[in-house]
Amino acid sequence: KQSYLDIVKKAIEQGAAVVADNASDEEKSASKTLKKKLMKQGVAMAKTYLMESLQLDVSIVDVEIVVSPKDLLESDGCLASCFLDAGCHAVVTDGTNLEALDSAKVPRDRLIGHFLYASSTDVSKLAEMITAASKLVSVVSIETDGADADLLDKLMKLAGEPTQENAVQIVVQVAPTNVTVATSDENGSEEAAWAAMIANVSKRCRGLVTLVDPTPKQLGTCYAAFIKTDRPDGLYTTVVCTRSNEALGLVYSSKESVIASLECGRAVYYSRSRKGLWRKGDTSGHFQTLHRLDLDCDGDALRFTVTQRGDDVAAFCHLNTLTCWGKPKGLRELEETLANRLKSAPEGSYTKRLFDDPELLRDKLVEEAQELSEATEKQHVAEELADVLYFAMVRAAKAGVSIDDAAAEIDRRARKVTRRKGDSKAFRIAAGDAILKKT
């Protein structure tokens, strides 16, 4: 909690770092410098809070962080941009406080208006409040104390038509214990019955239902209700991918394996040969950290996004390769080769020489970057880009940085709302010139 409060305090400092319109140029420059400094400090604190304190990988998980309207107003909206720049997908705040929503000063699709709704009251007043907020937010979150199929239908319809100006997406939040169904399913399971009801309403009304603090069994049961399958055994076709969307293999899942995966945070599938759960890595040691589950556009294929682990080698396939389609090509193959060279390089290896000579590696990076910047023909550009990638990946391998690490950083940066001018840095150009003159 204290870490969060420190971020709020820093954002308020940033928001207060302003000067009057009639201030001198020197005062305006000092204020701009201070504001930039406080912004960087706040974003760094927010990244640490999200990734270390909360253990959230914002490059893969769509983190929606709830902030109070009071903090938004006191920080002049800086708190919203701070968390978005740190990698959050969206900021959530009180949808009835239009002043706070407006103060956020972020794109509409990065702001969520949150509303409390008592299920026993009329929805017309709620509809008016949503209409007022819809100019500032693209998603509306409605927390209700109870829900049945009829109420969910009514709430979902508040979204308006997709073609309508300022149409919003409706997300209804409800605790599993407050979901009401008329009857249990054919097996007598009330849990499966309300999961099916939620899935049907969501598909029909284009909205979403979020379960508040569900157990892995409740969440897995509800998620499985969305998956379509035409297999006689009821299994779900499942594609296993890296965080960079590289396919590792094709497997099958069941409702039970989905629940088991959510329980342990590892990939668990269904083995057709063993006729039971397959906890990937229990025997081989090649387990997988589960990052997220997704359905394809038709809802009939499940995707597990994972990081492949392994003490000896990160292999998904039983043939000891990363994928079930043999050895990789391109950048992934280069990455594996560099990792092997770092452990044991043959006599005369140029890569080993680069590993052992940081100054040579730095010089080659600068040299090849210059050649890439000056290339004009398509083939020449491709050749110089390949050179830059090779030397950059040698540097990364030496530092223990993977392609996935770089991809994660790119994904995090894509969520930023604050943009820099991006001008060249004179001192870096001068340092580069000195290296090029030496070579």
Side-chain angles (χ1 to χ4, degrees), residues 4-302:
Y4 176 81
L5 294 176
D6 290 341
I7 296 167
V8 173
K9 181 180 178 182
K10 186 66 67 174
I12 291 174
E13 287 183 56
Q14 181 189 346
V18 295
V19 293
D21 292 338
N22 60 354
S24 67
D25 290 343
E26 185 177 345
E27 289 173 325
K28 290 179 180 179
S29 177
S31 173
K32 183 178 179 181
T33 300
L34 176 60
K35 201 173 183 73
K36 183 178 180 180
K37 177 183 176 181
L38 293 171
M39 178 195 72
K40 287 185 175 180
Q41 291 175 343
V43 171
M45 293 165 64
K47 284 182 179 179
T48 300
Y49 174 69
L50 293 166
M51 299 176 67
E52 296 182 14
S53 299
L54 301 183
Q55 293 290 295
L56 294 171
D57 187 343
V58 295
S59 69
I60 247 179
V61 178
D62 294 334
V63 177
E64 298 170 350
I65 189 160
V66 179
V67 301
S68 77
K70 175 177 175 290
D71 292 337
L72 272 178
L73 288 166
E74 290 187 359
S75 68
D76 192 32
C78 292
L79 185 61
S81 57
C82 175
F83 277 114
L84 295 179
D85 286 347
C88 286
H89 171 69
V91 169
V92 185
T93 197
D94 182 2
T96 65
N97 195 321
L98 300 183
E99 184 183 4
L101 290 172
D102 190 46
S103 75
K105 297 187 285 286
V106 298
R108 179 174 172 265
D109 62 353
R110 306 296 295 278
L111 200 56
I112 298 176
H114 185 67
F115 297 85
L116 299 177
Y117 175 70
S119 57
S120 59
T121 60
D122 185 63
V123 299
S124 58
K125 181 63 176 177
L126 176 62
E128 292 176 7
M129 293 189 292
I130 290 175
T131 298
S134 64
K135 295 178 181 179
L136 300 168
V137 303
S138 63
V139 178
V140 165
S141 170
I142 304 172
E143 184 178 348
T144 179
D145 57 357
D148 56 21
D150 289 340
L151 178 59
L152 288 177
D153 265 330
K154 291 179 182 178
L155 295 178
M156 296 291 188
K157 289 176 181 176
L158 297 177
E161 294 300 320
T163 55
Q164 179 181 323
E165 184 180 9
N166 296 330
V168 296
Q169 181 185 38
I170 297 292
V171 179
V172 179
Q173 295 186 346
V174 61
T177 52
N178 292 334
V179 178
T180 303
V181 290
T183 58
S184 300
D185 76 343
E186 57 187 18
N187 297 317
S189 168
E190 183 175 345
E191 198 169 66
W194 60 249
M197 181 269 287
I198 289 174
N200 289 334
V201 172
S202 297
K203 292 174 185 177
R204 185 172 65 249
C205 299
R206 305 188 320 275
L208 297 175
V209 176
T210 300
L211 300 180
V212 178
D213 295 329
T215 65
K217 183 178 180 182
Q218 290 169 335
L219 180 58
T221 299
C222 198
Y223 194 85
F226 282 82
I227 310 173
K228 295 186 294 186
T229 178
D230 56 5
R231 292 178 57 88
D233 56 15
L235 298 178
Y236 315 129
T237 303
T238 303
V239 180
V240 186
C241 293
T242 67
R243 61 191 305 150
S244 300
N245 284 337
E246 297 166 284
L248 298 180
L250 180 70
V251 296
Y252 293 91
S253 300
S254 64
K255 180 174 70 174
E256 291 72 24
S257 71
V258 169
I259 293 171
S261 296
L262 295 173
E263 286 176 334
C264 66
R266 282 174 48 184
V268 181
Y269 310 113
Y270 185 88
S271 171
R272 292 170 298 163
S273 59
R274 303 173 196 165
K275 300 190 185 308
L277 296 185
W278 168 26
R279 300 181 185 275
K280 175 63 179 169
D282 277 359
T283 303
S284 65
H286 298 158
F287 69 94
Q288 297 171 330
T289 300
L290 176 63
H291 297 299
R292 66 182 297 158
L293 301 178
D294 293 292
L295 284 176
D296 73 343
C297 56
D298 294 321
D300 57 3
L302 186 59

